[in-house]
Each structure stands twice: as structure tokens, then as C-alpha cells.
């Protein structure tokens, strides 16, 4: 049985974040389920507690410093010092560059980059104190470039550099930091992309699967399993890496 820790997963009301929160709870950790709307976290919390786990719903906008500080303090007060952090909250504001507004750009940077920065800054204080920590940032295969996603791909590439720098700075405190870069995962986010492109979600999935070497799209649990490993005791020598989880090779 591995050591029980306190984990924070942002954007955990649904999708990859919800699957990750449930997986980390199954791994024996108490899990703080963070999302914009505290009430929206109820289903994830219920899934964890009904299986005998410990979970806490916390409403927070990760791009707002005062909210982040209050949320992380609440987790520490109610669950204990957080030493696992999964920066998963994310949004898309896709558009071709000539149509992309400043708001589209700023909104994506605020959630992915500023959000991960603020959450990490708050949580690392507990990790360095405990001399143990695991940070996982959600990047994306879009970091390599994707039509209509200049903002999102820049943010996701930025999170890779952020993760490597955290690994360098925090390694001496027993803290690892890595990025997980999913390919196509079946969630509300990819459903929204299908809608924007004017194709049915089923057709979008079938077409995407045909382009992926393993011939299927990913599920949130595929990403949760990789994050689970990176947050484990035995992953202490894996740091500063970008792990693509995309059903085929990317680098
Ligand atoms: P999702 O289903 O859209 O879930 C994202 C969650 O983040 C939502 O519950 C959303 O809340 C929350 N969120 C958004 N802005 C927030 C903020 N400012 N503060 C706190 N929470 C916020 O997305 P997903 O597909 O699970 O994606 C999860 C992560 O994986 C994202 O970082 C995404 O970029 C990345 N990713 C996804 C894919 C994919 O194919 N799905 C591929 C590569 C990377 P609301 O519902 O209230 O907006």
C-alpha cells in the first residue's frame, strides 16, 4: 500500500480532471476536487466518497490569485498539506489567427499558464515543507501546432517549459514536475471542437480514431493512469519530462 497523500486536481468536475481525481482517490489519496463551480464538483466527490475515499469540493477560478490562495489554504486546513498537484483546468477559444481576438488569447493564457503558475506557487510551499511533492501539468499534442489553436498551442508548449523549470528548481526538495500531453481524448472539450467544425461528435471520433496508430480515441482514464504513475512514490526519478499519451508516437 502506497503512502496516502493529499492531492489537488483542478478542473475536476468533469472529463480528464474527474477521472484523475477518482483514480488518485483509488490510489489511496485524499483528493481536493477543484473547479469553477463548487456545486459542479458534487458528482466527482460523490463518486469518490461512495467508494470509501476522502474528497473535498472547492470552487475556484484558477486564474485569480486571491481565490487560489484561499482554495489551497482551505485544502490544507480541511484535508491536510497538499503534496500532489494536477494542473488540469483548461479552456479552448479556437480561431484562426486573423480572427482570434485579444480576449481569446488572454482567456486561454489566463487559465492554462497563469492558473498553473498560481496553483503551483501556492501548493509548492507545502511540498517543499514536507520534502515531497508531485506536480503534473496537462499539456497537449497541440503544443506541436494545431490549426485554429495559436493561443492554446502556445499555452500548452509553455506548460512544457514550466514543468521542466519546476523540475530543476524543486528537485532538491523531493518534488518532481512533469507534463502529460494527451492526444484526442473523448470529453466535453473535444465535443465542443466537433461542434465548432460542424461535424457530429461520432463522425469526429471515427475520423480521429482512423488517424491514430492504436485505432481508437483516448478516454479520460487513459490520462488518469499516466498521471497516477507520475504521482506515485516509485516515480521519484522521473522529472521534467513530457509524456505524450496519444495512441502513437509524438515527441
Ligand atoms: P473539459 O471537459 O472541458 O474540462 C475542463 C474543466 O476545467 C471544466 O470542468 C471547466 O469548468 C474547468 N475550468 C475551466 N476554466 C477553469 C478555471 N478558470 N478555473 C477552474 N476550473 C476551470 O476538458 P478536458 O477535455 O477534460 O481537458 C482537461 C485538460 O486536458 C485541459 O487542460 C485540456 O486542455 C487538456 N487536454 C485535453 C485534450 C482532449 O482531447 N480532451 C487533449 C489534450 C489536452 P467549466 O465547465 O465550468 O468551464
Amino acid at each position: 500500500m502506497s503512502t496516502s497523500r493529499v492531492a489537488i486536481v483542478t478542473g475536476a468536475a468533469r472529463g480528464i480532471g474527474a477521472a484523475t481525481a477518482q483514480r488518485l482517490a483509488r490510489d489511496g489519496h485524499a483528493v481536493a476536487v477543484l473547479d469553477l463551480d463548487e456545486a459542479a464538483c458534487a458528482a466527482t466527490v460523490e463518486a469518490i466518497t461512495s467508494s470509501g475515499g476522502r474528497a473535498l469540493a472547492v470552487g475556484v477560478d484558477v486564474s485569480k490569485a486571491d481565490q487560489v490562495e484561499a482554495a489551497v489554504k482551505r485544502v490544507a486546513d480541511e484535508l491536510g498539506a497538499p503534496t500532489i498537484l494536477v494542473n488540469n483546468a483548461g479552456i479552448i477559444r479556437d480561431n484562426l489567427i486573423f480572427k482570434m481576438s485579444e480576449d481569446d488569447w488572454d482567456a486561454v493564457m489566463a487559465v492554462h499558464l497563469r492558473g498553473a503558475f498560481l496553483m503551483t506557487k501556492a501548493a509548492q510551499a507545502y511540498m517543499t515543507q514536507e520534502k515531497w511533492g508531485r506536480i503534473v501539468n496537462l499539456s497537449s499534442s497541440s503544443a506541436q501546432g494545431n490549426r485554429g489553436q495559436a493561443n492554446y498551442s502556445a499555452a500548452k508548449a509553455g506548460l512544457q517549459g514550466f514543468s521542466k523549470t519546476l523540475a530543476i528548481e524543486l528537485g532538491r526538495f523531493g518534488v518532481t514536475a512533469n507534463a502529460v500531453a494527451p492526444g484526442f481524448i473523448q470529453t466535453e472539450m473535444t465535443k465542443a471542437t466537433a461542434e465548432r467544425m460542424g461535424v457530429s461528435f461520432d463522425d469526429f471520433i471515427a475520423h480521429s480514431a482512423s488517424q491514430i496508430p492504436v485505432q481508437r480515441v483516448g478516454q479520460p482514464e487513459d490520462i488518469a493512469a499516466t498521471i497516477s504513475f507520475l504521482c506515485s512514490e516509485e516515480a521519484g526519478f522521473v522529472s521534467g519530462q513530457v509524456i505524450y499519451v496519444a495512441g502513437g508516437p509524438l515527441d
Side-chain angles (χ1 to χ4, degrees):
M1 182 66 187
S2 62
T3 309
S4 178
R5 309 278 183 180
V6 174
I8 293 177
V9 183
T10 68
R14 66 177 196 223
I16 294 168
T20 299
Q22 289 174 56
R23 175 62 197 249
L24 292 176
R26 276 215 323 274
D27 292 343
H29 307 301
V31 183
V33 177
L34 272 60
D35 211 295
L36 273 176
D37 175 13
E38 187 166 318
C41 300
T44 308
V45 168
E46 167 64 18
I48 291 171
T49 53
S50 65
S51 310
R54 276 177 82 206
L56 172 72
V58 181
V60 61
D61 179 341
V62 296
S63 68
K64 301 280 182 348
D66 52 342
Q67 292 187 31
V68 166
E69 270 167 42
V72 174
K73 182 168 187 312
R74 195 178 148 204
V75 173
D77 290 346
E78 295 190 31
L79 291 180
T83 53
I84 295 175
L85 172 65
V86 182
N87 284 311
N88 167 83
I91 58 168
I92 47 174
R93 294 286 185 273
D94 295 355
N95 236 325
L96 295 174
I97 186 74
F98 78 98
K99 284 193 280 192
M100 187 172 283
S101 69
E102 287 181 50
D103 281 352
D104 291 336
W105 180 269
D106 291 344
V108 166
M109 294 303 152
V111 179
H112 295 272
L113 284 180
R114 189 177 158 79
F117 159 66
L118 292 172
M119 285 298 307
T120 302
K121 193 171 175 193
Q124 59 82 36
Y126 296 94
M127 298 182 193
T128 52
Q129 178 89 30
E130 299 289 317
K131 297 275 185 291
W132 193 93
R134 299 283 185 264
I135 299 167
V136 177
N137 297 307
L138 269 289
S139 179
S140 168
S141 55
S142 295
Q144 300 191 351
N146 196 27
R147 186 179 168 80
Q149 292 197 316
N151 49 2
Y152 184 81
S153 65
K156 291 308 200 187
L159 283 168
Q160 297 187 4
F162 180 63
S163 304
K164 291 178 194 196
T165 299
L166 295 175
I168 292 167
E169 291 188 12
L170 301 177
R172 71 190 60 195
F173 301 103
V175 179
T176 68
N178 292 283
V180 170
F184 186 119
I185 309 299
Q186 190 173 341
T187 68
E188 292 298 317
M189 186 176 275
T190 37
K191 194 173 178 191
T193 304
E195 276 165 22
R196 178 177 62 82
M197 294 169 74
V199 294
S200 79
F201 197 29
D202 285 347
D203 287 349
F204 192 43
I205 287 170
H207 174 74
S208 301
S210 73
Q211 308 297 307
I212 297 170
V214 301
Q215 296 285 289
R216 69 169 177 91
V217 300
Q219 297 299 323
E221 292 72 23
D222 291 312
I223 306 306
T226 307
I227 294 172
S228 164
F229 167 68
L230 290 171
C231 294
S232 69
E233 303 293 321
E234 62 192 346
F237 206 53
V238 184
S239 198
Q241 299 304 300
V242 178
I243 303 188
Y244 284 92
V245 184
L250 289 165
D251 58 22

